[in-house]
Amino acid sequence: MWAAAPLLLLLPLLLLPLARLCRRGAARLEPAGRAVLITGCDSGFGHLLALRLHRLGFTVFAGCLCPGGDGARRLQREAGGAGRLRVLQLDVTRARDVRAAKELVLSHLPERGFWGLVNNAGISTFGETGWLPMETYEKFADVNLLGSIRTTLAFLPLLRKYKGRIVFMSSIIAYFTLGNGIYSMTKAAIEKFCDALRLEMKKFGVQVCIIQPGNYARSTKIQPPLSAEEIWSELSEEEKAVYNKEYIQERANFFNSILSEGSANGNEVVDAMVDALTSPAPKARYMVAKLKEKVLVFVCALFPTVVMDSVLSYALSK
C-alpha cells in the first residue's frame, strides 16, 4: 500500500484538468422545485444567500435565531413576502428547534424534494486563552461545532434520499489563529467532521462542501469591536494579576484594526456557496480570501510550525 503512495499523491494532479473540463461542460442544477435550509439567516452570509437562492428559484427555508427580529423581517420584505422563502425559528443549540425545523420542511417539501443544507450559523470573539471562561468555550462549541452536527444529523436521511448537498461554513482561521483561538478551534474541528462526512456520503451521492472565507468581518458583523474596558471587566482576578490595562489596550487595538480591514463584499463568499449547491461537480473546499491570507494558509500547511509561529508572533508584535 505505502509503495503506491507517491502515485496516489500524483493522481489528483493528473486528474485536475479533466475535472475542470467536466465542470465547464456539465449542465448546472435546475433550482425550481428543490428546497434548501440555511441556518443563521438573521444577517451576514446566511441572509445574502437566502435572497440569492430565492431569486434563483429554490424553495428556501431561512433559519433565524430571532424570527421576529429586524433581520428576519427585512429578509421577508426583500424576498417579497410569502412564497418560496419561509423564515423559521432555528437556534442550532436547541434540539427541539432542529426537530421543529425538520417537521416544517417535511410538511412543505416541493416536488423535487430536499436538495441542500447550509450550516452557516456561527459566533466569534477574540481574547487570549485565559481571558475567556469555560462557559464561553462551551457556548462556542455548541453553536459553531455541535450546532452544525446537530442539524446535519437531523437532515441526513432527507439528504441521502434526494442525493443532495451539505455546505459548511468554515474559515481560513481553521489553519492558524491571531488571538481568536476559540473561534479557530471550532472551525478546525468542523473541517475534520466534514472530511469524515464527505467520504462517508459519497456512496449515497451526497456531496459535502466547505466554505473557507478570509476576513469578511465588515460584511457579516459576526464580531463587533471590543473596547479594552469591556475586556478588562470580564477578566478574572487571576488574569488581571498577570496582564495590565496597557497590554489589554494594545491587543484590543490590534484585533479591532483587523476587523476594520475586513471585506464588505459578502457576495464573493455567497458566489462560492451558490456554486457548491448548483455546480455539477462542486469543490470539496472553496477558499475565498485575499492573496496575503492565502499565503498564510500556504505557509501554515507546508512549512514547519516554528516558521508559522515566527510569522504570527511578528504580526502580533506589530
Side-chain angles (χ1 to χ4, degrees):
M1 175 184 174
W2 296 114
L7 180 59
L8 291 174
L9 289 171
L10 285 173
L11 191 59
L13 296 176
L14 297 173
L15 294 177
L16 189 58
L18 180 60
R20 285 174 176 163
L21 283 174
C22 291
R23 280 172 60 84
R24 283 198 293 267
R28 296 186 77 81
L29 179 84
E30 172 52 53
R34 287 186 166 92
V36 176
L37 171 70
I38 311 164
T39 68
C41 293
D42 302 78
S43 61
F45 299 137
H47 189 102
L48 293 172
L49 179 64
L51 291 172
R52 179 83 70 86
L53 294 183
H54 178 258
R55 287 196 294 269
L56 287 173
F58 283 100
T59 296
V60 179
F61 294 91
C64 291
L65 185 63
C66 303
D70 291 341
R73 289 200 299 269
R74 191 173 72 254
L75 185 59
Q76 288 174 314
R77 281 198 311 273
E78 291 167 334
R84 285 182 292 96
L85 189 145
R86 186 181 297 268
V87 170
L88 62 145
Q89 163 75 42
L90 183 51
D91 179 345
V92 296
T93 69
R94 297 169 61 177
R96 65 181 180 183
D97 274 17
V98 175
R99 285 195 300 270
K102 184 178 180 180
E103 290 170 7
L104 182 69
V105 168
L106 283 170
S107 63
H108 292 87
L109 269 184
E111 60 271 21
R112 289 181 174 173
F114 189 70
W115 175 251
L117 170 63
V118 181
N119 287 299
N120 168 74
I123 54 176
S124 179
T125 191
F126 60 76
E128 297 195 5
T129 302
W131 297 1
L132 306 170
M134 188 61 203
E135 293 77 14
T136 302
Y137 282 95
E138 290 171 346
K139 179 180 179 180
F140 269 70
D142 204 8
V143 176
N144 293 358
L145 174 61
L146 299 179
S148 292
I149 297 173
R150 187 176 290 113
T151 309
T152 299
L153 293 179
F155 284 89
L156 215 49
L158 274 176
L159 290 159
R160 284 194 294 248
K161 178 179 179 179
Y162 292 103
K163 301 185 187 303
R165 306 274 172 92
I166 317 176
V167 180
F168 290 84
M169 182 58 66
S170 181
S171 170
I172 62 167
I173 294 298
Y175 294 95
F176 60 88
T177 179
L178 271 173
N180 53 352
I182 188 170
Y183 184 67
S184 181
M185 166 193 81
T186 60
K187 293 306 180 182
I190 206 68
E191 292 260 348
K192 293 301 105 183
F193 175 76
C194 290
D195 284 345
L197 185 67
R198 185 177 61 254
L199 292 173
E200 294 163 4
M201 289 299 106
K202 281 183 180 294
K203 58 183 172 286
F204 300 108
V206 176
Q207 303 200 57
V208 178
C209 305
I210 303 171
I211 312 296
Q212 300 172 317
N215 183 0
Y216 281 84
R218 289 171 58 209
S219 175
T220 63
K221 303 293 192 297
I222 189 173
Q223 183 174 316
L226 286 176
S227 69
E229 199 56 47
E230 287 176 293
I231 298 170
W232 182 261
S233 67
E234 295 296 321
L235 294 185
S236 66
E237 292 305 316
E238 290 89 348
E239 294 301 305
K240 286 179 179 178
V242 175
Y243 299 96
N244 57 43
K245 285 189 175 182
E246 289 74 22
Y247 181 82
I248 301 294
Q249 184 66 64
E250 288 175 3
R251 289 280 74 85
N253 291 343
F254 174 77
F255 297 136
N256 290 332
S257 70
I258 290 178
L259 296 179
S260 68
E261 293 170 1
S263 172
N265 185 10
N267 281 306
E268 295 171 343
V269 178
V270 173
D271 289 344
M273 298 166 86
V274 170
D275 191 80
L277 288 166
T278 62
S279 170
K283 300 176 185 177
R285 282 176 167 82
Y286 292 80
M287 186 174 293
V288 190
K290 298 174 183 175
L291 178 60
K292 66 178 181 179
E293 293 170 330
K294 291 180 178 179
V295 168
L296 275 177
V297 172
F298 177 81
V299 171
C300 184
L302 297 182
F303 285 76
T305 301
V306 66
V307 175
M308 193 61 180
D309 284 353
S310 299
V311 171
L312 297 178
S313 295
Y314 177 78
L316 285 166
S317 71
K318 295 299 179 181

